[in-house]
């Protein structure tokens, strides 16, 4: 029987045209990887690892600072970040003078003078005085030789405890969360107590007791109102300013102290 037209040899699929079970094996899915694509993937992997490392470092840093602040609710620091910085830079000429004292052993005039000089709204804000920062930015636009700072006492405290005096955007960024952390852990009175005990008041001189001994050769418990105001006037630039030279600013601070009246009244106003 002759073959039908539908099964002629010419109509049969050639062996080379038949689908193979191995067809497609070993071929990559999607477009081939180019050198530029591999470079992008490598860069993304490196970026991811760096980001994870930075986040881990920040978490460790803030965790350690939080534990330190918890300790500082009942104890004074044996040293601070700024003191370590000054030591490494050779800015402590001789032996460091640092003798922390509770506020009960410091004349009331000194913490009041410090509030009058550095942060008159200390008992009203939650750590950062945004009004003072705005005022400082406005005044500094005039380009005066001596720039005004807007940092609160709480901000200055965490800077002294954990950071350095170097004015950088990184320090400011690290400082902000630390400030709110300090306000959450420490009372206002404790923040002020730590502040007057750790800030610099002369070359290698840190804290109220060491400052009063250095400048007046007496104890911080026996300080006059004028001496307290003169010491507070030196805080912005303690390595250059000296209490006996700050006559005009001392008078201004004495007037502010009269307006503030006392720390007890300031704390009462906060509670109201």
């Amino acid at each position: 029987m002759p073959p039908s037209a539908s099964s002629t040899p010419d109509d049969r699929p050639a062996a080379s045209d038949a689908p193979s079970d191995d067809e497609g094996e070993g071929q990559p899915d999607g477009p081939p990887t180019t050198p530029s694509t591999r470079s992008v993937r490598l860069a993304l992997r490196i970026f991811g690892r760096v980001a994870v490392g930075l986040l881990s470092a920040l978490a460790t840093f803030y965790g350690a600072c939080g534990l330190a602040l918890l300790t500082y609710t009942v104890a004074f620091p044996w040293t601070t970040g700024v003191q370590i910085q000054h030591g490494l830079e050779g800015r402590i000429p001789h032996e460091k003078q640092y003798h922390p004292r509770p506020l009960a052993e410091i004349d009331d005039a000194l913490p009041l003078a410090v509030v009058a000089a550095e942060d008159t709204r200390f008992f009203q804000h939650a750590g950062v005085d945004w009004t003072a920062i705005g005022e400082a930015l406005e005044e500094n636009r005039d380009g005066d030789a001596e720039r005004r700072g807007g940092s609160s006492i709480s901000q200055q405290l965490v800077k002294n405890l954990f950071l350095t005096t170097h004015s950088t955007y990184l320090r400011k960024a690290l400082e902000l969360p630390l400030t709110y952390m300090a306000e959450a852990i420490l009372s206002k009175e404790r923040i002020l107590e730590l502040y007057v005990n750790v800030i610099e008041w002369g070359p290698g001189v840190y804290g109220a007791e060491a400052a009063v001994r250095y400048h007046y050769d007496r104890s911080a418990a026996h300080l006059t109102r004028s001496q307290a105001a003169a010491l507070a006037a030196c805080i912005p630039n303690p390595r250059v300013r000296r209490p006996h030279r700050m006559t005009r600013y001392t008078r201004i601070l004495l007037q502010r102290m009269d307006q503030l009246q006392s720390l007890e009244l300031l704390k009462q106003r906060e509670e109201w």
Side-chain angles (χ1 to χ4, degrees):
M1 183 177 180
S4 63
S6 61
S7 59
T8 59
D10 293 340
D11 292 336
R12 295 171 188 167
S16 59
D17 295 335
S20 170
D21 292 338
D22 296 334
E23 187 175 336
E25 285 189 7
Q27 298 297 322
D29 294 333
T33 303
T34 64
S36 61
T37 304
R38 287 195 296 270
S39 298
V40 170
R41 290 177 179 173
L42 178 61
L44 288 174
R45 282 198 297 270
I46 293 173
F47 176 80
R49 289 173 183 174
V50 170
V52 169
L54 287 174
L55 289 174
S56 299
L58 281 174
T60 302
F61 172 71
Y62 284 118
C65 291
L67 289 175
L69 287 170
L70 286 171
T71 303
Y72 298 156
T73 60
V74 295
F76 288 106
W78 66 272
T79 191
T80 67
V82 167
Q83 291 176 19
I84 293 171
Q85 172 204 343
H86 289 171
L88 293 174
E89 294 174 349
R91 296 175 62 183
I92 299 178
H94 305 291
E95 185 179 354
K96 179 176 72 174
Q97 299 180 52
Y98 175 53
H99 313 288
R101 295 288 187 272
L103 284 181
E105 297 180 18
I106 299 173
D107 192 280
D108 292 342
L110 186 57
L112 179 63
V114 167
V115 170
E118 295 297 304
D119 191 356
T120 55
R121 287 183 285 265
F122 173 65
F123 288 99
Q124 280 74 53
H125 63 66
V128 179
D129 189 347
W130 295 106
T131 301
I133 291 175
E135 291 171 352
L137 290 172
E138 197 67 33
E139 289 187 20
N140 292 337
R141 286 176 187 169
D142 299 336
D144 294 338
E146 187 165 347
R147 297 175 65 83
R148 174 189 167 183
S151 295
S152 67
I153 284 175
S154 303
Q155 288 175 277
Q156 294 180 53
L157 173 64
V158 297
K159 176 193 71 177
N160 274 272
L161 290 176
F162 305 119
L163 303 170
T164 68
T165 58
H166 300 141
S167 184
T168 64
Y169 290 114
L170 175 60
R171 195 208 80 193
K172 286 293 184 183
L174 292 171
E175 182 182 289
L176 190 61
L178 285 174
T179 300
Y180 288 114
M181 189 185 299
E183 287 275 342
I185 295 174
L186 305 170
S187 67
K188 285 285 189 180
E189 185 173 0
R190 183 58 175 168
I191 289 172
L192 184 58
E193 185 172 48
L194 287 168
Y195 179 77
V196 299
N197 273 288
V198 302
I199 60 172
E200 186 181 24
W201 249 308
V205 179
Y206 301 93
E209 181 67 24
V212 178
R213 291 185 190 181
Y214 179 77
H215 291 290
Y216 297 116
D217 194 24
R218 62 175 64 186
S219 168
H222 304 98
L223 198 62
T224 69
R225 197 173 177 86
S226 295
Q227 289 170 340
L231 278 174
C234 298
I235 293 175
N237 196 353
R239 288 183 168 267
V240 174
R241 297 184 180 186
R242 294 294 179 267
H244 65 276
R245 300 177 190 163
M246 305 304 298
T247 308
R248 180 175 174 276
Y249 191 26
T250 297
R251 287 198 299 267
I252 294 173
L253 290 182
L254 285 169
Q255 292 173 359
R256 289 185 193 170
M257 291 165 68
D258 289 339
Q259 293 171 352
L260 295 174
Q261 297 182 321
S262 72
L263 289 179
E264 287 302 320
L265 282 176
L266 288 175
K267 286 186 282 187
Q268 289 174 15
R269 290 171 194 163
E270 178 198 15
E271 293 169 359
W272 294 341

